Structure formats: C-alpha cells, structure tokens
Amino acid sequence: MTVPIVLAGARGHGRWHLDNIRRLQDKGIVRLAGVCELTPLTPDEIPEGLGAPEQSADFGALLDSTRARIAVVCTPIPTHTDLALTAARKGVHLLLEKPPAPSYAEFRRMAEGVAEAGVVCQIGFQSLGSHALPAMRRMIADGVIGEVAGVGGAGAWARAESYFRRAPWAGKRRLNGVDVIDGALTNPLAHAVATALALAGATRAQDVTGIETELAHANAIESDDTSCVRVTTTAGRPVTVAATLCAEDPDDPYVLVHGSSGRITFWYKQDRVLLQRAGHGPEEFEYGRTDLLENLVDHLTDGAELLVPPAATEAFMRVVEAIRVAPDPVRLSEDTWHLLPDEGRRVVPGIDGLVAAAADTLALYSELGAPWASPTAHPEEVST
C-alpha cells in the first residue's frame, strides 16, 4: 500500500518536495493525496505524473478528507508549530521543514505535543541523512585524526536583494509581533549549524553550556545575512559556524572537524569528504544519502531508525533561541559593502576569507579583526 501524503506549502522550497514526492510516487512508496496552499496550484505547477491531488487552504480538513498518513510541512517558519500540532492531533505523522520553530518555547510546544499524540516527526535537515556522517563518526571514534579539538562550519553564499522580498516574513526577526528569526544561520545555512553540532556529538539541549553570537546585515533587512556563532559544549569541543549571504565568490558550504593529528572536511551538499592526516596523503570519499521522507515512510512501515527526530535538533534550537534573544543585528555601513548591479546583490569585501578563517580557527568575526562585529554571549540562556 502506498502512503498518502499531504504537502502544506508547495511553492518556493515546496517545489523541491513536489519533485521528491513524484520520485517516491514513481517508486510506488507514496501518493500525493493533497496540497494545502492559500491559493491553489495551477495544473502547470503540479509536476507531471502527480495527477490532480485534492487542494484546500484548510489544512485540518484536507488531512481528514484525504486520510493522509504523512504531512510534509514546508510553510513559513512561524506556522510550523501550529500546523504540526494540527496534524499530530489527527494522528498524522510529520516531515517538518527546518528550522522546526522560531523559538525554543515553540519548539518544545511542538515536540511535546507530537510526543503526547504518539505520532512521529522527522525534522527536514537533509544533510543529516548523508551516509558521510556515520562514516566520519567511525573515523573520529577510531582516532584517525587524533583527539577532536572542535568543529567549524563555513557558508559563503549569495542572495539577491529580491530574495529578501520573496515573502512578507523573509529577512524578518519578527512580523506582527510574532517571532520569525529568518537569518543566515537559522534558515538558509541552518544545515551547517545542525551538521557541525551533530559531528561534535552535541545534539541535545543539555550538550550546550553557552552560545556566543555575532549578527550583522548588509542588506536592507531586519535579520542577519552575515553572522557567526560559537557554541560551548559539555564535551569541551567548541563549535563555530560562520555564514554570509553576501559572498564575493559563493561556494559550497562545509563543516570542518579539527583533530590533534588531522582534519575532516565535509561538503554536506555534495556528500563529499576530504580526510587529511599526519603521515598520509589526502583522501577523498563520496557517499550516498537517505532521503528523509523515504526514511520516515520506512520507519512507519518497516521500523527503520528515524534519522532526525526532534530530540536530534534540540542543540540547534538552542542556537536559534540565542539568535532570537540577541540584540538586533548590526547594520553594516555603506562603506563596508557594495552592490553588484548585474546580479542585484550586495557583497561584503573580505567576508569569504573571514568565513573560512572562522571555521579554520574556531574564532568569531570580532576575534579575526572584523571592525563591525559585535559579540554577544548567552551562557545557559535556555532552561532545559
């Protein structure tokens, strides 16, 4: 029997989910039973082969009428918790896009409600489905790079000014009094944070003892587009992740595990790993990836281990909370950035090097000499 699915939020990133559901439908695993959008999709917006799923702006009613077993929620960040709880109350399992919530309190409300309802929730950090992660954990456990000293993350991306106008909540910290927290580290480069924490063995809330943030923006937005964070873990392994959406030369983000006798670099979008260690030449590996929706279906039908339950994202949500309660991001002065007219985007000169240096040294922008960086520490800012 194929598993009936409802997709909430089928435009924007939701188009990726439509294509993925089509792929799994072709394999006979799932069936797209419904689409929840405020404005129904036109036939041209539905990938060929998905038929004519039922459409409604009423998520709860759609779950009932389609008898969906799984809901994929890819809607604006502030709506995640309420939609997840609507599905949970109806006994519908979830693939919930990242970030799972805009605050730690909302995350706890979601996670506790889902658990109480007895449904399964997978959080959409696709990088955590990479087969590279268990392989790197084995390298670390086997002492291949010696004692782990810390983990860095680097994301030098570019986004046009139009990116921040794509939706009313884009680039906002709050909207109409409701938390959004749509920043570089919490949304587009959230995978770098979550993956770095996973490789540091710090995924639960109690694994975090302190968080330092440095938030700034070159674009005319409320949230951060150039930021870094350093997490202090109970294991004594600092995790520093630096990100920008104003790169000079955008490149694939990566996570870097520092060891006493080597290092492991993981380009998580490519599932590619570079191992460098004393006494050996560099070694490269490429891995496969388990799709998180497919993993959720396998968990429900065959008892496969769920890859990204809410508990695996608690530490990430601690970072989101630290960014939420931090002072508003520093607005970069016009002499620190320039516009590329042909691409319609703002560039911060030198930021690519700062992002790479932060991942390489586990230092913050301010410690690397960025004059605009403003550090904020949040020791034990969230009750666990």
Side-chain angles (χ1 to χ4, degrees):
M1 295 289 291
T2 58
V3 175
I5 288 180
V6 161
L7 171 62
R11 294 189 172 96
H13 183 59
R15 289 193 293 268
W16 182 90
H17 284 288
L18 278 174
D19 289 336
N20 192 45
I21 291 168
R22 162 67 195 275
R23 180 183 67 84
L24 297 180
Q25 186 164 302
D26 287 347
K27 294 175 69 173
I29 295 172
V30 305
R31 174 177 59 86
L32 182 63
V35 172
C36 183
E37 271 287 355
L38 296 178
T39 303
L41 299 184
T42 65
D44 289 345
E45 291 181 290
I46 301 174
E48 187 178 350
L50 284 177
E54 185 177 340
Q55 298 198 58
S56 173
D58 188 327
F59 183 55
L62 188 62
L63 295 177
D64 287 338
S65 61
T66 59
R67 297 184 178 180
R69 193 174 181 200
I70 292 175
V72 177
V73 175
C74 184
T75 55
I77 301 165
T79 68
H80 284 186
T81 293
D82 284 341
L83 291 178
L85 294 179
T86 296
R89 284 191 291 267
K90 294 179 178 295
V92 178
H93 306 286
L94 284 152
L95 173 62
L96 181 61
E97 258 302 343
K98 57 79 191 163
S103 70
Y104 198 81
E106 283 291 275
F107 170 73
R108 290 309 324 161
R109 185 165 74 90
M110 179 278 295
E112 290 164 9
V114 164
E116 184 178 345
V119 301
V120 174
C121 180
Q122 178 103 282
I123 307 299
F125 283 108
Q126 294 290 340
S127 61
L128 300 185
S130 177
H131 303 166
L133 263 72
M136 287 185 287
R137 289 188 180 112
R138 285 193 296 271
M139 293 178 194
I140 292 167
D142 291 343
V144 170
I145 58 169
E147 190 70 25
V148 173
V151 180
W157 272 5
R159 289 293 183 268
E161 291 177 315
S162 58
Y163 171 81
F164 302 104
R165 298 191 295 268
R166 72 192 189 281
W169 54 270
K172 293 286 196 301
R173 283 172 66 76
R174 292 168 192 87
L175 183 63
N176 300 325
V178 176
D179 288 321
V180 177
I181 320 302
D182 178 41
L185 288 168
T186 54
N187 194 8
L189 286 156
H191 283 86
V193 178
T195 307
L197 288 166
L199 285 171
T203 57
R204 303 299 297 268
Q206 60 265 30
D207 296 330
V208 175
T209 59
I211 300 171
E212 301 162 89
T213 61
E214 294 185 353
L215 312 175
H217 62 89
N219 283 278
I221 58 175
E222 195 178 89
S223 62
D224 57 290
D225 58 33
T226 299
S227 48
C228 64
V229 62
R230 182 164 57 204
V231 180
T232 305
T233 68
T234 54
R237 297 171 176 172
V239 176
T240 301
V241 182
T244 186
L245 303 179
C246 305
E248 296 174 283
D249 296 302
D251 205 352
D252 273 347
Y254 60 88
V255 172
L256 180 58
V257 183
H258 296 272
S260 57
S261 58
R263 64 199 303 181
I264 305 170
T265 307
F266 174 38
W267 289 270
Y268 59 80
K269 289 182 67 67
Q270 305 175 31
D271 299 310
R272 182 165 65 92
V273 170
L274 173 65
L275 171 63
Q276 297 166 289
R277 50 182 172 156
H280 297 76
E283 300 173 77
E284 283 203 37
F285 308 91
E286 292 188 4
Y287 295 92
R289 177 180 292 205
T290 298
D291 175 72
L292 295 185
L293 179 55
E294 191 165 1
N295 172 246
L296 175 57
V297 173
D298 288 344
H299 175 79
L300 296 174
T301 57
D302 299 324
E305 181 182 358
L306 194 69
L307 290 174
V308 197
T313 66
E314 289 177 357
F316 168 79
M317 284 305 307
R318 291 285 304 272
V319 172
V320 173
E321 181 69 6
I323 291 172
R324 185 184 77 87
V325 302
D328 286 343
V330 172
R331 180 180 180 180
L332 298 186
S333 60
E334 293 188 8
D335 61 353
T336 61
W337 59 268
H338 62 265
L339 180 69
L340 295 181
D342 292 346
E343 299 179 37
R345 68 181 184 90
R346 299 185 184 189
V347 170
V348 176
I351 191 60
D352 300 31
L354 279 172
V355 166
D360 195 47
T361 64
L362 305 179
L364 299 173
Y365 289 151
S366 60
E367 296 166 342
L368 294 168
W372 41 261
S374 178
T376 306
H378 306 272
E380 294 294 347
E381 80 289 349
V382 178
S383 172
T384 58

